[in-house]
Amino acid sequence: MEDAGEIAAFRELCSPLMASLLDELALHPDAPRPFPAIEDALGWPHRRIASVLGGVAHLRRMRFGGRRPYRFHEPRHAASGRWELWCDATQADALRRYSESRTG
Protein backbone atom coordinates (compact mmCIF):
# COMPACT_ATOMS: atom_id res chain seq x y z
CA MET A 1 0.00 0.00 0.00
CA GLU A 2 1.52 3.31 -1.13
CA ASP A 3 -1.38 5.76 -1.56
CA ALA A 4 -1.55 8.18 1.39
CA GLY A 5 -5.35 8.35 1.24
CA GLU A 6 -5.67 4.59 1.30
CA ILE A 7 -3.20 4.35 4.19
CA ALA A 8 -5.18 6.98 6.13
CA ALA A 9 -8.43 5.08 5.45
CA PHE A 10 -6.87 1.85 6.73
CA ARG A 11 -5.61 3.63 9.85
CA GLU A 12 -9.07 5.16 10.42
CA LEU A 13 -10.88 1.82 10.18
CA CYS A 14 -8.51 -0.46 12.10
CA SER A 15 -8.69 -1.40 15.78
CA PRO A 16 -6.98 0.68 18.47
CA LEU A 17 -4.35 -2.05 18.87
CA MET A 18 -3.59 -2.06 15.14
CA ALA A 19 -3.46 1.74 15.21
CA SER A 20 -0.90 1.59 18.03
CA LEU A 21 1.17 -0.90 16.05
CA LEU A 22 1.09 1.31 12.93
CA ASP A 23 2.03 4.38 14.95
CA GLU A 24 5.01 2.52 16.42
CA LEU A 25 6.14 1.30 12.99
CA ALA A 26 5.87 4.85 11.62
CA LEU A 27 8.40 6.02 14.21
CA HIS A 28 11.09 3.81 12.61
CA PRO A 29 10.67 3.92 8.81
CA ASP A 30 12.64 1.46 6.72
CA ALA A 31 13.84 -0.37 9.84
CA PRO A 32 12.69 -4.00 9.88
CA ARG A 33 12.34 -5.24 13.47
CA PRO A 34 11.41 -8.65 14.83
CA PHE A 35 7.99 -8.92 16.44
CA PRO A 36 9.33 -9.22 20.04
CA ALA A 37 11.28 -5.94 19.71
CA ILE A 38 8.17 -4.12 18.52
CA GLU A 39 6.03 -5.70 21.24
CA ASP A 40 8.58 -4.66 23.87
CA ALA A 41 8.52 -1.07 22.54
CA LEU A 42 4.72 -1.06 22.86
CA GLY A 43 4.72 -2.72 26.29
CA TRP A 44 2.78 -5.65 24.86
CA PRO A 45 3.14 -9.31 25.77
CA HIS A 46 4.97 -11.35 23.16
CA ARG A 47 2.79 -12.91 20.45
CA ARG A 48 0.25 -10.07 20.53
CA ILE A 49 1.28 -8.80 17.09
CA ALA A 50 0.24 -12.10 15.53
CA SER A 51 -3.18 -11.74 17.13
CA VAL A 52 -3.54 -8.09 16.04
CA LEU A 53 -2.56 -8.90 12.45
CA GLY A 54 -5.01 -11.80 12.42
CA GLY A 55 -7.74 -9.50 13.68
CA VAL A 56 -7.21 -6.99 10.88
CA ALA A 57 -6.97 -9.62 8.13
CA HIS A 58 -10.67 -9.50 7.21
CA LEU A 59 -10.66 -5.70 6.94
CA ARG A 60 -7.47 -5.81 4.90
CA ARG A 61 -8.83 -8.40 2.47
CA MET A 62 -12.38 -7.07 2.13
CA ARG A 63 -11.77 -3.31 2.01
CA PHE A 64 -8.21 -3.02 0.70
CA GLY A 65 -7.74 -5.98 -1.63
CA GLY A 66 -5.24 -7.55 0.76
CA ARG A 67 -2.89 -4.56 0.65
CA ARG A 68 -1.03 -3.58 3.83
CA PRO A 69 0.34 -0.24 5.07
CA TYR A 70 3.37 -2.16 6.41
CA ARG A 71 5.86 -4.76 5.16
CA PHE A 72 7.01 -8.21 6.25
CA HIS A 73 10.17 -10.28 6.12
CA GLU A 74 9.73 -14.00 6.59
CA PRO A 75 12.22 -15.57 9.01
CA ARG A 76 14.30 -17.10 6.21
CA HIS A 77 14.74 -13.64 4.61
CA ALA A 78 15.12 -11.63 7.81
CA ALA A 79 18.42 -10.58 9.34
CA SER A 80 17.13 -11.61 12.77
CA GLY A 81 15.93 -15.01 11.59
CA ARG A 82 12.45 -14.12 12.92
CA TRP A 83 9.37 -12.50 11.43
CA GLU A 84 10.10 -8.81 10.90
CA LEU A 85 7.71 -5.94 10.31
CA TRP A 86 8.21 -2.31 9.24
CA CYS A 87 6.78 0.61 7.27
CA ASP A 88 8.67 2.06 4.38
CA ALA A 89 9.30 5.81 4.34
CA THR A 90 6.20 6.56 2.21
CA GLN A 91 3.92 4.51 4.47
CA ALA A 92 5.42 6.00 7.62
CA ASP A 93 4.98 9.54 6.31
CA ALA A 94 1.31 8.91 5.49
CA LEU A 95 0.70 7.39 8.94
CA ARG A 96 2.42 10.29 10.70
CA ARG A 97 0.44 12.86 8.70
CA TYR A 98 -2.79 11.03 9.55
CA SER A 99 -1.94 11.03 13.28
CA GLU A 100 -0.97 14.71 13.19
CA SER A 101 -4.25 15.60 11.48
CA ARG A 102 -6.17 13.89 14.29
CA THR A 103 -4.33 15.65 17.12
CA GLY A 104 -4.73 19.13 15.70
Side-chain angles (χ1 to χ4, degrees):
M1 192 180 288
E2 296 294 325
D3 178 73
E6 187 177 38
I7 291 168
F10 186 96
R11 174 63 175 72
E12 177 74 23
L13 294 170
C14 70
S15 72
L17 288 172
M18 186 67 202
S20 294
L21 175 58
L22 291 172
D23 291 347
E24 172 62 25
L25 295 176
L27 294 174
H28 307 277
D30 294 319
R33 293 182 289 162
F35 285 16
I38 299 165
E39 290 159 335
D40 290 346
L42 288 164
W44 288 359
H46 289 184
R47 307 189 71 77
R48 178 162 290 168
I49 286 177
S51 176
V52 170
L53 294 177
V56 79
H58 182 75
L59 170 70
R60 194 172 50 76
R61 285 192 306 266
M62 300 306 291
R63 296 287 291 266
F64 299 97
R67 290 178 302 283
R68 304 174 170 107
Y70 52 89
R71 303 198 181 275
F72 275 112
H73 270 157
E74 293 182 22
R76 66 180 167 206
H77 300 292
S80 68
R82 305 187 72 163
W83 284 97
E84 293 179 342
L85 195 60
W86 77 100
C87 288
D88 65 32
T90 300
Q91 293 166 330
D93 183 58
L95 289 165
R96 284 192 303 267
R97 283 187 313 205
Y98 172 84
S99 292
E100 290 167 2
S101 75
R102 305 311 264 170
T103 59

